[in-house]
């Protein structure tokens, strides 16, 4: 497995573990949701993640989302121009926030 693939899995695994914690701990959930109101929400979110013990940075988060989105597009009609546009499937920050905000 290439290093990039390993890093993507680590980022996704970290987000999954963090989401589980946030869904079960109101203080963590509140802290992470509050990053949406910051001037730079993604940077604030990643800083909070690191403070909570999860090594997530903005570029890893963006890369993981783009890589997953590209894989979905390739799997749809061969990934050509006729592939449907997907909304927010590449934005792991937005998907994470939506998941913990529903609680």
């Amino acid at each position: 497995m290439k290093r990039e693939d390993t890093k993507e899995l680590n980022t996704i695994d970290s987000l999954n573990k963090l989401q589980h914690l946030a869904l079960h701990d109101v203080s963590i959930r509140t802290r992470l949701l509050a990053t949406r109101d910051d001037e730079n929400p993604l940077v604030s979110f990643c800083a909070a993640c690191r403070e909570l013990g999860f090594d997530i940075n903005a570029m890893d988060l963006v890369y993981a989302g783009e890589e997953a989105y590209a894989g979905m597009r390739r799997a749809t009609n061969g990934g050509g121009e006729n592939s449907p546009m997907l909304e927010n499937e590449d934005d792991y920050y937005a998907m994470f926030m939506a998941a913990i905000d529903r609680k």
Side-chain angles (χ1 to χ4, degrees), residues 26-90:
V26 70
S27 65
I28 292 174
R29 184 170 55 250
T30 302
R31 181 175 181 191
L32 294 173
L33 288 171
T35 65
R36 295 183 296 187
D37 300 325
D38 290 344
E39 184 176 327
N40 193 332
L42 186 58
V43 171
S44 297
F45 173 77
C46 291
C49 290
R50 286 190 301 277
E51 289 170 10
L52 292 165
F54 293 90
D55 187 23
I56 298 173
N57 69 55
M59 289 311 299
D60 290 338
L61 196 55
V62 169
Y63 176 76
E66 288 179 357
E67 191 64 25
Y69 180 74
M72 284 188 279
R73 295 239 349 157
R74 284 190 300 272
T76 307
N77 295 330
E81 291 299 316
N82 293 326
S83 296
M85 292 300 296
L86 303 173
E87 288 190 36
N88 295 324
E89 276 79 359
D90 64 337

